[in-house]
Amino acid sequence: MDNVVTGCYSALQNDGVRRRMMIWGEARSENVMSGSNISSDTHLHNILKENITAMNTYTTWDGFYDVINRCNTVLKYAPGVAEKDPAYTQGDLNATIAEVTALRSLAYFYLIRTFRDVPFSREAFTDDDQKMDLPATPFAEVLQNLIDDLESVKDKAVKRYPETKPRYQTGRITQDAIHAMLCEMYLWKGDYDNCIKYADMVIKSKQKMDEEEQQKSRLTSSENKAALELRLEGFPLVSDNLTGSTQYGDSYRDIFVEGASKETIFELSYDDNPAGTGMLSNSAVSALYGNATYSGLLVGSTAVKEDIEASSQRTIFEDKNKKTDMRMYLNFNPISESSQILKFASQRTEITFQGTEPKTLSYSLYPQNSNGSQWIIYRLPDIMLLKAEALCEKMQEGSDSATIAFNTPLLDQAFQLVNVINKRSICQKELTANNMIAQTDYTTKALMSDLVKRERQRELMFEGKRWFDLVRYAMRAGNTSELITAVMKREDVNKEFSQNFFKKMDAIFWPYNIEELKVNRNLVANPAFGSGENSSYEKSN
C-alpha cells in the first residue's frame, strides 16, 4: 500500500503534470512573457500570444487523470488489503483513504479551475470494457463533490508524521493540507465563513507546532523574540535577517530550496542530485524558468519589471515601501536584460541593502537537469491571504455609520494578515512609517480588497496561482473586466483581439484537446476556441 500511494505522488510530480501546474496557473497572466528560447516550444509561445486552439499540447489533461485513477484504484483495493493483513490496521486504512482522496481532489481542483466543466468519476478504471467517455460535470457540481469528499475524510488524515520523517510533514498530505484545500475550495464556492473557519484551523495548527519547536530549541534571544513579534505578530512565518546585517535572502532559501519550512503546508519534493538519491529533479522549473546553462522559456514580464522600476503609481508593489520589498529582487532579476525568473530557478539569492535601496548581491542558478527546488502547493501566506479575501467579501458597501461599524473588525483582521506578510518582506532591520503600509490608506472594502489582491500577486508570484486568482475574481464578479485589465499589460498578446476575446466568460477557461473531443463524443467543445484544424470543431455522428 505504501508503494502504491507513493506512486500517486510520483504521478503528481511527473514533468508533464508539473509543467501544466505552472503554465495553467501563470502563462496567461501578466506575470510572465516569452523568453529568448521560446521558439523551441511553439505551443507555449501560442499560449503567451493568446493563440490557443484545441490542438495545443498543453490542453491535454491525461497526467491529472492518471493521478485520479491511481487514487481511485487505491480506494477500490485498500479495504481488501486491510481484511487480509492484520498489520494494516483500520487506522492505517482510514489514513490512506484520507490521503488519496485529498490527492484526487487536488487533481480535480486543478482541472476545474483550468477547464471549468470536466468528466468526474470516483470509479477506478481497470478494465478496457468500462465506459470511459463520460460527459463533463458542471464546475459547481464537481467543486461541491470535492468539498464533500474532503469533509468526509478530514478527521481521519494524519495530523503529524514522526519527527524521524520531517519531509513527510510537508511532502505528504496531512490534516493541515486538507484544511488548506477546503479553505480555498470554500472561497471559490463563495462560502466565506467556512473559508475563514478552515484558514483559522491551519493557522492555529501551525502556531502550535511552531511554539512546540521553539520550546524545544530555546535558541531565540529575547532581542530576536521582540523583533519577531513586532514583525510577524505571532504568525509562524519564516523570518529573514533580524541581526542588522545588510544581507537578506534567508527566508527564500528556507522555503523554496531547503524545503519543509515551518510555513509550508504541502509541497512536492525534488532533489538537486537525482542520480545520487533516486529522487526526481524539478525539470519543469529548469525548462520553464531556466537554469545555469539556458534561459527559461518564460521570464518575468515587462509589466512587473516596469512596476518595480517605477517610483510611484505602482499597481503590484507598494509605493509606500520605497523599494524595500525584497520580493522585488527575490522573484526575478529586474536589472538583467533577460528578466530571469529567480524564484525556484535559483538555489541561492542574496539581497543587499546599502544606501537608498536594495539590489541583488548575487544569485546562483541550479545546473541544468539538477533543479532541487520544492514546488509548493500551499504555504501559510497563501492561506492567510485567502482568509483576508474572504473577510473582504463579507464586508458591506457604503459609508454610513452602521456599515462602518460592521466593516471595521473585518478591515482590521484583513489588514493584519496582509501587513504581517508585507512586513516579513521588508529588508531593513528597523520598521518605520516610510517602509510599512498604513492601515489608514485602506479604509473601505474596495481599497482593502485591492490591497489583498496585490499582496497575493507579489507574494505568490510565479507559484502557479495568478491566473487562477484572476479566474476566481471574474467568476465572482460575473464579468471579466479585472482580468482584461491584467491581460492588457502583457507584451505578447494582440491587445485589440484580447480586449474583445476576454469579454466572453468562456475565454478565461481552456479548450478541451481535440483528441479528447474525438474519442469522447459526450464532450462539448468550449465555443471560445477553434480546434486548430477548422475555425469551429463539429462532431460527426
Side-chain angles (χ1 to χ4, degrees), residues 30 167 188 206 286 298 334 403 440 487 522:
E30 78 278 37
R167 288 285 177 185
W188 278 78
K206 282 293 188 182
S286 189
L298 300 174
T403 300
T440 51
V487 170
N522 290 310

Side-chain angles (χ1 to χ4, degrees), residues 486-519:
V487 170
M488 294 300 284
K489 296 177 183 177
R490 287 170 49 192
E491 191 174 83
D492 296 7
V493 298
N494 179 319
K495 289 183 168 43
E496 183 179 355
F497 166 79
S498 297
Q499 186 81 45
N500 292 318
F501 180 63
F502 280 111
K503 289 178 180 177
K504 300 170 288 188
M505 192 68 76
D506 292 333
I508 71 177
F509 296 98
W510 291 60
Y512 301 136
N513 188 268
I514 192 168
E515 296 303 319
E516 296 293 339
L517 292 168
K518 287 177 179 178
V519 299

Side-chain angles (χ1 to χ4, degrees), residues 26 32 137 217 273 285 491 495 522:
E26 292 288 345
V32 298
T137 302
S217 60
N273 182 27
V285 166
E491 191 174 83
K495 289 183 168 43
N522 290 310

Side-chain angles (χ1 to χ4, degrees), residues 252 256-257 285-286 288-292 331 340-349 363-367 371 373:
Y252 170 81
F256 299 102
V257 180
V285 166
S286 189
L288 295 178
Y289 290 173
N291 52 70
N331 288 342
Q340 168 78 52
I341 294 173
L342 298 182
K343 186 182 277 188
F344 297 112
S346 174
Q347 56 189 331
R348 177 185 54 79
T349 302
Y363 61 86
S364 173
L365 299 174
Y366 282 102
N371 185 296
S373 62

Side-chain angles (χ1 to χ4, degrees), residues 89-117:
T89 66
Q90 185 64 43
D92 294 332
L93 173 63
N94 290 342
T96 297
I97 290 172
E99 188 170 16
V100 295
T101 297
L103 290 173
R104 180 182 68 187
S105 299
L106 181 65
Y108 271 126
F109 195 37
Y110 271 100
L111 289 172
I112 63 172
R113 287 179 295 173
T114 304
F115 298 97
R116 185 170 52 191
D117 306 337

Side-chain angles (χ1 to χ4, degrees), residues 11 63 75-76 82 259 300 319 457 511-512:
L75 292 168
K76 179 177 180 177
D319 294 339
Q457 185 176 7
Y512 301 136

Side-chain angles (χ1 to χ4, degrees), residues 38-50:
I38 194 64
S39 59
S40 65
D41 191 335
T42 56
H43 293 278
L44 179 56
H45 198 192
N46 283 332
I47 290 168
L48 294 165
K49 292 186 293 185
E50 211 55 60

Side-chain angles (χ1 to χ4, degrees), residues 40 61 243 272 387 405 467 499:
S40 65
W61 57 26
T243 65
D272 61 1
K387 177 185 175 181
W467 184 255
Q499 186 81 45

